[in-house]
Amino acid sequence: MLGITDLSTYLVGLALIILLPGPNSLYVVSVAARSGPRVAYRAAAGVLCGDTVLMTLSAGGVASLLQTSPVLFAVVKFAGAGYLTWLAVGMLRGAWALWRGREARRAEPAEAPRAPKEAVERPYRRALVVSLLNPKAILFFISFFVQFVDPSYAHPVLSFLTLGAWAQLFSFTYLSVLIFSGTYLAATFRRRKRLTAGLSAGAGAAFLGFAAKLSLASAG
């Protein structure tokens, strides 16, 4: 159907891959916990747009270029690792400030800091950059998609569009679950500043781990 050789296998593999934790999903759920679902969906939109760009580049063969050019791959790899490290440092600093100032913050309205954070953080742009600076994702798209596209099909663009639409549907559903889970957790632990600081620090440490893993990644 539409040049797709084995749709059921593709969907199973896609679900398993999307469920694996990564910097995109972790960032979205952290935004949901701090700023609510409305702002978190901006981050989710950044993830979806970034994935769309990567899928388009993969279909056009750019991922193959990265795979055959060690220098270009290294540039993209270390740029992505650096950006993840910058995000991690920001999360760790925020956790430390929350830990030290938890007593003073109790007297402030819970919704007061939301607008400034939202304006400074720009969740859509951050999520988009995190998605685009991920060479492993580019290589994954090209290596995974081509396995399910019939090379003899007359309109391969339709095959890639169909596979991409399924990927975006799965991703949007998963991110929606994370967003409302993060909102629920935030409402449950809103007054537990130590726990909130601990979770933020844990997210920052996870981002450092993603950055280290990405910096050690290879194109092969």
Side-chain angles (χ1 to χ4, degrees):
M1 182 182 68
L2 296 177
I4 301 174
T5 57
D6 193 344
L7 181 60
S8 59
T9 301
Y10 170 77
L11 295 179
V12 172
L14 182 64
L16 294 176
I17 292 167
I18 288 179
L19 289 175
L20 292 175
N24 291 342
S25 57
L26 182 60
Y27 179 67
V28 170
V29 75
S30 68
V31 172
R34 287 181 281 110
S35 304
R38 183 176 179 181
V39 180
Y41 268 112
R42 298 182 189 177
V47 172
L48 296 177
C49 289
D51 287 347
T52 299
V53 172
L54 293 181
M55 286 185 280
T56 302
L57 294 176
S58 299
V62 174
S64 298
L65 178 61
L66 282 179
Q67 199 167 18
T68 57
S69 175
V71 175
L72 181 58
F73 181 85
V75 171
V76 177
K77 177 179 69 173
F78 287 113
Y83 189 74
L84 290 177
T85 301
W86 180 72
L87 289 179
V89 171
M91 289 182 175
L92 292 173
R93 290 180 62 186
W96 177 247
L98 181 62
W99 182 271
R100 295 190 62 183
R102 64 184 184 277
E103 296 297 334
R105 288 172 182 263
R106 289 177 182 175
E108 299 177 1
E111 302 297 327
R114 180 170 297 183
K117 286 184 179 179
E118 187 176 326
V120 172
E121 188 170 1
R122 296 176 182 175
Y124 172 84
R125 188 174 70 177
R126 282 197 176 185
L128 178 64
V129 174
V130 169
S131 297
L132 293 177
L133 293 178
N134 191 344
K136 275 297 185 181
I138 299 175
L139 298 178
F140 155 74
F141 279 123
I142 190 64
S143 63
F144 191 65
F145 276 21
V146 295
Q147 298 180 39
F148 301 94
V149 176
D150 185 356
S152 63
Y153 186 64
H155 306 287
V157 174
L158 294 178
S159 304
F160 280 103
L161 286 176
T162 303
L163 294 174
W166 278 109
Q168 295 292 55
L169 177 62
F170 275 43
S171 182
F172 177 79
T173 302
Y174 178 58
L175 291 176
S176 294
V177 172
L178 293 180
I179 285 172
F180 287 101
S181 297
T183 304
Y184 172 77
L185 292 176
T188 303
F189 302 111
R190 180 169 296 168
R191 296 183 179 179
R192 302 184 183 182
K193 300 301 181 181
R194 291 185 178 182
L195 179 59
T196 303
L199 292 175
S200 182
F207 266 68
L208 286 177
F210 289 132
K213 183 178 180 180
L214 180 58
S215 65
L216 297 174
S218 62

mmCIF file of all heavy atoms in Angstrom, residues 78-122:
data_model
loop_
_atom_site.group_PDB
_atom_site.id
_atom_site.type_symbol
_atom_site.label_atom_id
_atom_site.label_comp_id
_atom_site.label_asym_id
_atom_site.label_seq_id
_atom_site.Cartn_x
_atom_site.Cartn_y
_atom_site.Cartn_z
ATOM 1 N N PHE A 78 28.964 17.671 17.850
ATOM 2 C CA PHE A 78 29.429 18.472 18.978
ATOM 3 C C PHE A 78 28.578 19.732 19.179
ATOM 4 O O PHE A 78 28.466 20.228 20.300
ATOM 5 C CB PHE A 78 30.899 18.824 18.799
ATOM 6 C CG PHE A 78 31.820 17.657 19.013
ATOM 7 C CD1 PHE A 78 32.552 17.132 17.955
ATOM 8 C CD2 PHE A 78 31.923 17.058 20.253
ATOM 9 C CE1 PHE A 78 33.391 16.033 18.144
ATOM 10 C CE2 PHE A 78 32.749 15.963 20.454
ATOM 11 C CZ PHE A 78 33.481 15.451 19.394
ATOM 12 N N ALA A 79 27.999 20.237 18.113
ATOM 13 C CA ALA A 79 27.058 21.349 18.275
ATOM 14 C C ALA A 79 25.850 20.903 19.086
ATOM 15 O O ALA A 79 25.383 21.617 19.988
ATOM 16 C CB ALA A 79 26.623 21.879 16.909
ATOM 17 N N GLY A 80 25.334 19.729 18.771
ATOM 18 C CA GLY A 80 24.198 19.202 19.528
ATOM 19 C C GLY A 80 24.554 18.924 20.971
ATOM 20 O O GLY A 80 23.795 19.237 21.891
ATOM 21 N N ALA A 81 25.727 18.327 21.206
ATOM 22 C CA ALA A 81 26.165 18.040 22.575
ATOM 23 C C ALA A 81 26.353 19.331 23.374
ATOM 24 O O ALA A 81 25.995 19.408 24.556
ATOM 25 C CB ALA A 81 27.466 17.234 22.548
ATOM 26 N N GLY A 82 26.904 20.353 22.724
ATOM 27 C CA GLY A 82 27.087 21.629 23.407
ATOM 28 C C GLY A 82 25.775 22.279 23.796
ATOM 29 O O GLY A 82 25.644 22.833 24.889
ATOM 30 N N TYR A 83 24.799 22.196 22.896
ATOM 31 C CA TYR A 83 23.503 22.807 23.202
ATOM 32 C C TYR A 83 22.801 22.053 24.333
ATOM 33 O O TYR A 83 22.208 22.673 25.225
ATOM 34 C CB TYR A 83 22.621 22.805 21.956
ATOM 35 C CG TYR A 83 21.359 23.610 22.122
ATOM 36 C CD1 TYR A 83 21.385 24.998 22.131
ATOM 37 C CD2 TYR A 83 20.120 22.984 22.287
ATOM 38 C CE1 TYR A 83 20.234 25.743 22.288
ATOM 39 C CE2 TYR A 83 18.954 23.726 22.449
ATOM 40 C CZ TYR A 83 19.020 25.102 22.442
ATOM 41 O OH TYR A 83 17.875 25.829 22.604
ATOM 42 N N LEU A 84 22.870 20.736 24.342
ATOM 43 C CA LEU A 84 22.279 19.959 25.428
ATOM 44 C C LEU A 84 22.964 20.278 26.758
ATOM 45 O O LEU A 84 22.311 20.355 27.809
ATOM 46 C CB LEU A 84 22.389 18.464 25.129
ATOM 47 C CG LEU A 84 21.515 17.929 23.992
ATOM 48 C CD1 LEU A 84 21.789 16.445 23.769
ATOM 49 C CD2 LEU A 84 20.033 18.147 24.282
ATOM 50 N N THR A 85 24.274 20.480 26.718
ATOM 51 C CA THR A 85 24.997 20.845 27.933
ATOM 52 C C THR A 85 24.550 22.206 28.446
ATOM 53 O O THR A 85 24.370 22.399 29.662
ATOM 54 C CB THR A 85 26.512 20.862 27.668
ATOM 55 O OG1 THR A 85 26.934 19.568 27.215
ATOM 56 C CG2 THR A 85 27.288 21.232 28.925
ATOM 57 N N TRP A 86 24.350 23.153 27.539
ATOM 58 C CA TRP A 86 23.878 24.481 27.930
ATOM 59 C C TRP A 86 22.504 24.399 28.587
ATOM 60 O O TRP A 86 22.247 25.050 29.617
ATOM 61 C CB TRP A 86 23.834 25.379 26.701
ATOM 62 C CG TRP A 86 23.363 26.770 26.982
ATOM 63 C CD1 TRP A 86 24.039 27.759 27.635
ATOM 64 C CD2 TRP A 86 22.093 27.328 26.637
ATOM 65 N NE1 TRP A 86 23.285 28.904 27.700
ATOM 66 C CE2 TRP A 86 22.077 28.675 27.097
ATOM 67 C CE3 TRP A 86 20.975 26.840 25.965
ATOM 68 C CZ2 TRP A 86 20.984 29.508 26.926
ATOM 69 C CZ3 TRP A 86 19.877 27.681 25.789
ATOM 70 C CH2 TRP A 86 19.894 28.993 26.268
ATOM 71 N N LEU A 87 21.610 23.589 28.033
ATOM 72 C CA LEU A 87 20.295 23.407 28.651
ATOM 73 C C LEU A 87 20.428 22.762 30.026
ATOM 74 O O LEU A 87 19.724 23.142 30.977
ATOM 75 C CB LEU A 87 19.411 22.537 27.755
ATOM 76 C CG LEU A 87 18.906 23.144 26.445
ATOM 77 C CD1 LEU A 87 18.076 22.120 25.687
ATOM 78 C CD2 LEU A 87 18.083 24.399 26.703
ATOM 79 N N ALA A 88 21.320 21.780 30.143
ATOM 80 C CA ALA A 88 21.498 21.088 31.420
ATOM 81 C C ALA A 88 21.991 22.043 32.494
ATOM 82 O O ALA A 88 21.509 22.013 33.636
ATOM 83 C CB ALA A 88 22.482 19.930 31.250
ATOM 84 N N VAL A 89 22.941 22.895 32.142
ATOM 85 C CA VAL A 89 23.456 23.872 33.112
ATOM 86 C C VAL A 89 22.341 24.805 33.573
ATOM 87 O O VAL A 89 22.229 25.130 34.764
ATOM 88 C CB VAL A 89 24.628 24.667 32.502
ATOM 89 C CG1 VAL A 89 25.032 25.824 33.413
ATOM 90 C CG2 VAL A 89 25.818 23.753 32.259
ATOM 91 N N GLY A 90 21.497 25.235 32.635
ATOM 92 C CA GLY A 90 20.376 26.092 33.014
ATOM 93 C C GLY A 90 19.420 25.407 33.967
ATOM 94 O O GLY A 90 18.928 26.020 34.932
ATOM 95 N N MET A 91 19.141 24.128 33.730
ATOM 96 C CA MET A 91 18.253 23.380 34.629
ATOM 97 C C MET A 91 18.875 23.217 36.009
ATOM 98 O O MET A 91 18.195 23.366 37.038
ATOM 99 C CB MET A 91 17.958 22.005 34.032
ATOM 100 C CG MET A 91 17.051 22.040 32.820
ATOM 101 S SD MET A 91 16.710 20.361 32.206
ATOM 102 C CE MET A 91 15.534 20.754 30.903
ATOM 103 N N LEU A 92 20.168 22.921 36.060
ATOM 104 C CA LEU A 92 20.840 22.741 37.343
ATOM 105 C C LEU A 92 20.896 24.052 38.126
ATOM 106 O O LEU A 92 20.708 24.072 39.354
ATOM 107 C CB LEU A 92 22.243 22.192 37.120
ATOM 108 C CG LEU A 92 22.315 20.757 36.581
ATOM 109 C CD1 LEU A 92 23.753 20.389 36.249
ATOM 110 C CD2 LEU A 92 21.732 19.775 37.584
ATOM 111 N N ARG A 93 21.139 25.156 37.433
ATOM 112 C CA ARG A 93 21.144 26.456 38.109
ATOM 113 C C ARG A 93 19.752 26.804 38.642
ATOM 114 O O ARG A 93 19.610 27.337 39.743
ATOM 115 C CB ARG A 93 21.615 27.539 37.143
ATOM 116 C CG ARG A 93 23.096 27.446 36.781
ATOM 117 C CD ARG A 93 23.496 28.547 35.825
ATOM 118 N NE ARG A 93 23.305 29.858 36.419
ATOM 119 C CZ ARG A 93 23.476 31.002 35.767
ATOM 120 N NH1 ARG A 93 23.832 30.984 34.480
ATOM 121 N NH2 ARG A 93 23.293 32.152 36.372
ATOM 122 N N GLY A 94 18.733 26.493 37.844
ATOM 123 C CA GLY A 94 17.373 26.745 38.303
ATOM 124 C C GLY A 94 17.019 25.910 39.517
ATOM 125 O O GLY A 94 16.353 26.381 40.448
ATOM 126 N N ALA A 95 17.462 24.649 39.520
ATOM 127 C CA ALA A 95 17.201 23.773 40.664
ATOM 128 C C ALA A 95 17.898 24.294 41.922
ATOM 129 O O ALA A 95 17.332 24.288 43.016
ATOM 130 C CB ALA A 95 17.680 22.360 40.351
ATOM 131 N N TRP A 96 19.131 24.778 41.759
ATOM 132 C CA TRP A 96 19.872 25.311 42.908
ATOM 133 C C TRP A 96 19.209 26.569 43.450
ATOM 134 O O TRP A 96 19.092 26.741 44.671
ATOM 135 C CB TRP A 96 21.309 25.593 42.488
ATOM 136 C CG TRP A 96 22.154 26.212 43.579
ATOM 137 C CD1 TRP A 96 22.680 27.456 43.602
ATOM 138 C CD2 TRP A 96 22.550 25.591 44.804
ATOM 139 N NE1 TRP A 96 23.398 27.672 44.755
ATOM 140 C CE2 TRP A 96 23.333 26.544 45.516
ATOM 141 C CE3 TRP A 96 22.329 24.335 45.370
ATOM 142 C CZ2 TRP A 96 23.889 26.255 46.760
ATOM 143 C CZ3 TRP A 96 22.889 24.058 46.617
ATOM 144 C CH2 TRP A 96 23.645 25.010 47.292
ATOM 145 N N ALA A 97 18.757 27.445 42.547
ATOM 146 C CA ALA A 97 18.085 28.669 42.986
ATOM 147 C C ALA A 97 16.778 28.336 43.697
ATOM 148 O O ALA A 97 16.430 28.959 44.708
ATOM 149 C CB ALA A 97 17.814 29.573 41.783
ATOM 150 N N LEU A 98 16.057 27.343 43.192
ATOM 151 C CA LEU A 98 14.803 26.941 43.832
ATOM 152 C C LEU A 98 15.064 26.345 45.197
ATOM 153 O O LEU A 98 14.338 26.597 46.158
ATOM 154 C CB LEU A 98 14.072 25.935 42.937
ATOM 155 C CG LEU A 98 12.719 25.425 43.452
ATOM 156 C CD1 LEU A 98 11.732 26.578 43.599
ATOM 157 C CD2 LEU A 98 12.163 24.367 42.506
ATOM 158 N N TRP A 99 16.119 25.553 45.309
ATOM 159 C CA TRP A 99 16.453 24.928 46.587
ATOM 160 C C TRP A 99 16.812 25.976 47.638
ATOM 161 O O TRP A 99 16.360 25.919 48.773
ATOM 162 C CB TRP A 99 17.625 23.969 46.381
ATOM 163 C CG TRP A 99 18.030 23.229 47.619
ATOM 164 C CD1 TRP A 99 18.927 23.627 48.561
ATOM 165 C CD2 TRP A 99 17.529 21.964 48.048
ATOM 166 N NE1 TRP A 99 19.030 22.689 49.549
ATOM 167 C CE2 TRP A 99 18.192 21.648 49.259
ATOM 168 C CE3 TRP A 99 16.615 21.062 47.524
ATOM 169 C CZ2 TRP A 99 17.946 20.470 49.950
ATOM 170 C CZ3 TRP A 99 16.368 19.890 48.213
ATOM 171 C CH2 TRP A 99 17.024 19.599 49.411
ATOM 172 N N ARG A 100 17.594 26.981 47.245
ATOM 173 C CA ARG A 100 18.029 28.000 48.194
ATOM 174 C C ARG A 100 16.915 28.991 48.529
ATOM 175 O O ARG A 100 16.866 29.528 49.628
ATOM 176 C CB ARG A 100 19.224 28.764 47.625
ATOM 177 C CG ARG A 100 20.467 27.905 47.442
ATOM 178 C CD ARG A 100 21.666 28.751 47.121
ATOM 179 N NE ARG A 100 21.976 29.686 48.222
ATOM 180 C CZ ARG A 100 22.947 30.582 48.192
ATOM 181 N NH1 ARG A 100 23.693 30.704 47.106
ATOM 182 N NH2 ARG A 100 23.158 31.383 49.211
ATOM 183 N N GLY A 101 16.031 29.233 47.576
ATOM 184 C CA GLY A 101 15.014 30.250 47.803
ATOM 185 C C GLY A 101 13.628 29.711 48.048
ATOM 186 O O GLY A 101 12.647 30.413 47.866
ATOM 187 N N ARG A 102 13.523 28.429 48.445
ATOM 188 C CA ARG A 102 12.198 27.822 48.583
ATOM 189 C C ARG A 102 11.360 28.487 49.666
ATOM 190 O O ARG A 102 10.142 28.569 49.547
ATOM 191 C CB ARG A 102 12.330 26.326 48.855
ATOM 192 C CG ARG A 102 13.015 25.981 50.165
ATOM 193 C CD ARG A 102 13.185 24.460 50.297
ATOM 194 N NE ARG A 102 13.746 24.091 51.571
ATOM 195 C CZ ARG A 102 15.039 24.094 51.849
ATOM 196 N NH1 ARG A 102 15.903 24.480 50.937
ATOM 197 N NH2 ARG A 102 15.480 23.734 53.033
ATOM 198 N N GLU A 103 12.013 28.988 50.740
ATOM 199 C CA GLU A 103 11.244 29.621 51.811
ATOM 200 C C GLU A 103 10.646 30.939 51.338
ATOM 201 O O GLU A 103 9.491 31.253 51.635
ATOM 202 C CB GLU A 103 12.148 29.858 53.027
ATOM 203 C CG GLU A 103 12.680 28.566 53.658
ATOM 204 C CD GLU A 103 11.553 27.715 54.205
ATOM 205 O OE1 GLU A 103 10.491 28.287 54.549
ATOM 206 O OE2 GLU A 103 11.711 26.485 54.282
ATOM 207 N N ALA A 104 11.432 31.740 50.598
ATOM 208 C CA ALA A 104 10.940 33.032 50.123
ATOM 209 C C ALA A 104 9.852 32.849 49.073
ATOM 210 O O ALA A 104 8.903 33.634 49.001
ATOM 211 C CB ALA A 104 12.092 33.852 49.544
ATOM 212 N N ARG A 105 9.952 31.802 48.263
ATOM 213 C CA ARG A 105 8.989 31.597 47.187
ATOM 214 C C ARG A 105 7.605 31.208 47.699
ATOM 215 O O ARG A 105 6.623 31.345 46.993
ATOM 216 C CB ARG A 105 9.497 30.515 46.224
ATOM 217 C CG ARG A 105 10.663 30.973 45.370
ATOM 218 C CD ARG A 105 11.220 29.804 44.591
ATOM 219 N NE ARG A 105 12.380 30.218 43.790
ATOM 220 C CZ ARG A 105 12.316 30.542 42.516
ATOM 221 N NH1 ARG A 105 11.163 30.533 41.891
ATOM 222 N NH2 ARG A 105 13.406 30.900 41.858
ATOM 223 N N ARG A 106 7.525 30.675 48.905
ATOM 224 C CA ARG A 106 6.233 30.258 49.440
ATOM 225 C C ARG A 106 5.265 31.424 49.576
ATOM 226 O O ARG A 106 4.054 31.252 49.507
ATOM 227 C CB ARG A 106 6.425 29.586 50.803
ATOM 228 C CG ARG A 106 7.080 28.218 50.712
ATOM 229 C CD ARG A 106 7.303 27.632 52.079
ATOM 230 N NE ARG A 106 7.970 26.329 52.000
ATOM 231 C CZ ARG A 106 8.378 25.640 53.056
ATOM 232 N NH1 ARG A 106 8.201 26.136 54.272
ATOM 233 N NH2 ARG A 106 8.974 24.472 52.890
ATOM 234 N N ALA A 107 5.816 32.604 49.787
ATOM 235 C CA ALA A 107 4.959 33.767 49.966
ATOM 236 C C ALA A 107 4.534 34.393 48.646
ATOM 237 O O ALA A 107 3.680 35.277 48.619
ATOM 238 C CB ALA A 107 5.690 34.826 50.810
ATOM 239 N N GLU A 108 5.101 33.934 47.523
ATOM 240 C CA GLU A 108 4.771 34.513 46.231
ATOM 241 C C GLU A 108 3.637 33.737 45.571
ATOM 242 O O GLU A 108 3.503 32.542 45.776
ATOM 243 C CB GLU A 108 6.003 34.468 45.306
ATOM 244 C CG GLU A 108 7.171 35.251 45.844
ATOM 245 C CD GLU A 108 8.378 35.114 44.943
ATOM 246 O OE1 GLU A 108 8.248 34.417 43.912
ATOM 247 O OE2 GLU A 108 9.429 35.686 45.256
ATOM 248 N N PRO A 109 2.803 34.407 44.755
ATOM 249 C CA PRO A 109 1.749 33.698 44.023
ATOM 250 C C PRO A 109 2.359 32.669 43.092
ATOM 251 O O PRO A 109 3.375 32.906 42.456
ATOM 252 C CB PRO A 109 1.051 34.813 43.232
ATOM 253 C CG PRO A 109 1.415 36.074 43.946
ATOM 254 C CD PRO A 109 2.775 35.852 44.531
ATOM 255 N N ALA A 110 1.711 31.499 43.006
ATOM 256 C CA ALA A 110 2.249 30.405 42.199
ATOM 257 C C ALA A 110 2.308 30.755 40.723
ATOM 258 O O ALA A 110 3.158 30.284 39.990
ATOM 259 C CB ALA A 110 1.407 29.146 42.398
ATOM 260 N N GLU A 111 1.386 31.600 40.244
ATOM 261 C CA GLU A 111 1.322 31.889 38.818
ATOM 262 C C GLU A 111 2.150 33.109 38.412
ATOM 263 O O GLU A 111 2.305 33.369 37.236
ATOM 264 C CB GLU A 111 -0.137 32.149 38.398
ATOM 265 C CG GLU A 111 -1.078 30.998 38.687
ATOM 266 C CD GLU A 111 -0.691 29.754 37.901
ATOM 267 O OE1 GLU A 111 -0.196 29.903 36.772
ATOM 268 O OE2 GLU A 111 -0.859 28.650 38.417
ATOM 269 N N ALA A 112 2.673 33.859 39.395
ATOM 270 C CA ALA A 112 3.336 35.119 39.078
ATOM 271 C C ALA A 112 4.543 34.976 38.166
ATOM 272 O O ALA A 112 4.689 35.715 37.208
ATOM 273 C CB ALA A 112 3.751 35.828 40.382
ATOM 274 N N PRO A 113 5.452 34.001 38.423
ATOM 275 C CA PRO A 113 6.647 33.952 37.584
ATOM 276 C C PRO A 113 6.433 33.317 36.225
ATOM 277 O O PRO A 113 7.355 33.236 35.443
ATOM 278 C CB PRO A 113 7.613 33.104 38.426
ATOM 279 C CG PRO A 113 6.725 32.246 39.254
ATOM 280 C CD PRO A 113 5.485 33.052 39.515
ATOM 281 N N ARG A 114 5.233 32.852 35.937
ATOM 282 C CA ARG A 114 5.035 32.078 34.711
ATOM 283 C C ARG A 114 5.290 32.896 33.452
ATOM 284 O O ARG A 114 5.947 32.440 32.540
ATOM 285 C CB ARG A 114 3.617 31.502 34.689
ATOM 286 C CG ARG A 114 3.343 30.699 33.440
ATOM 287 C CD ARG A 114 2.047 29.933 33.541
ATOM 288 N NE ARG A 114 2.096 28.960 34.601
ATOM 289 C CZ ARG A 114 1.102 28.123 34.854
ATOM 290 N NH1 ARG A 114 -0.006 28.165 34.144
ATOM 291 N NH2 ARG A 114 1.198 27.248 35.840
ATOM 292 N N ALA A 115 4.805 34.104 33.366
ATOM 293 C CA ALA A 115 4.965 34.902 32.144
ATOM 294 C C ALA A 115 6.421 35.212 31.832
ATOM 295 O O ALA A 115 6.855 35.007 30.710
ATOM 296 C CB ALA A 115 4.152 36.196 32.252
ATOM 297 N N PRO A 116 7.234 35.689 32.833
ATOM 298 C CA PRO A 116 8.630 35.956 32.523
ATOM 299 C C PRO A 116 9.376 34.715 32.059
ATOM 300 O O PRO A 116 10.147 34.751 31.129
ATOM 301 C CB PRO A 116 9.201 36.489 33.841
ATOM 302 C CG PRO A 116 8.017 37.012 34.575
ATOM 303 C CD PRO A 116 6.882 36.152 34.172
ATOM 304 N N LYS A 117 9.147 33.555 32.749
ATOM 305 C CA LYS A 117 9.817 32.328 32.355
ATOM 306 C C LYS A 117 9.455 31.960 30.928
ATOM 307 O O LYS A 117 10.281 31.537 30.140
ATOM 308 C CB LYS A 117 9.442 31.188 33.307
ATOM 309 C CG LYS A 117 10.092 31.260 34.675
ATOM 310 C CD LYS A 117 9.716 30.037 35.492
ATOM 311 C CE LYS A 117 10.375 30.066 36.865
ATOM 312 N NZ LYS A 117 9.995 28.896 37.665
ATOM 313 N N GLU A 118 8.187 32.093 30.627
ATOM 314 C CA GLU A 118 7.701 31.715 29.306
ATOM 315 C C GLU A 118 8.362 32.563 28.225
ATOM 316 O O GLU A 118 8.743 32.078 27.166
ATOM 317 C CB GLU A 118 6.193 31.898 29.286
ATOM 318 C CG GLU A 118 5.504 31.400 28.040
ATOM 319 C CD GLU A 118 4.020 31.531 28.163
ATOM 320 O OE1 GLU A 118 3.504 31.375 29.268
ATOM 321 O OE2 GLU A 118 3.374 31.801 27.141
ATOM 322 N N ALA A 119 8.513 33.871 28.523
ATOM 323 C CA ALA A 119 9.085 34.764 27.531
ATOM 324 C C ALA A 119 10.569 34.501 27.333
ATOM 325 O O ALA A 119 11.088 34.577 26.232
ATOM 326 C CB ALA A 119 8.856 36.216 27.956
ATOM 327 N N VAL A 120 11.295 34.179 28.438
ATOM 328 C CA VAL A 120 12.726 33.971 28.354
ATOM 329 C C VAL A 120 13.039 32.594 27.778
ATOM 330 O O VAL A 120 13.944 32.430 26.958
ATOM 331 C CB VAL A 120 13.365 34.132 29.750
ATOM 332 C CG1 VAL A 120 14.824 33.729 29.721
ATOM 333 C CG2 VAL A 120 13.204 35.567 30.220
ATOM 334 N N GLU A 121 12.283 31.598 28.179
ATOM 335 C CA GLU A 121 12.625 30.232 27.806
ATOM 336 C C GLU A 121 12.377 29.937 26.337
ATOM 337 O O GLU A 121 13.148 29.225 25.706
ATOM 338 C CB GLU A 121 11.818 29.250 28.663
ATOM 339 C CG GLU A 121 12.254 27.817 28.465
ATOM 340 C CD GLU A 121 11.634 26.890 29.478
ATOM 341 O OE1 GLU A 121 10.847 27.368 30.312
ATOM 342 O OE2 GLU A 121 11.920 25.691 29.424
ATOM 343 N N ARG A 122 11.301 30.443 25.768
ATOM 344 C CA ARG A 122 10.966 30.186 24.363
ATOM 345 C C ARG A 122 10.974 28.688 24.080
ATOM 346 O O ARG A 122 11.846 28.187 23.358
ATOM 347 C CB ARG A 122 11.937 30.921 23.443
ATOM 348 C CG ARG A 122 11.850 32.433 23.584
ATOM 349 C CD ARG A 122 12.884 33.134 22.738
ATOM 350 N NE ARG A 122 12.821 34.587 22.931
ATOM 351 C CZ ARG A 122 13.672 35.447 22.396
ATOM 352 N NH1 ARG A 122 14.656 34.997 21.635
ATOM 353 N NH2 ARG A 122 13.540 36.740 22.602
#
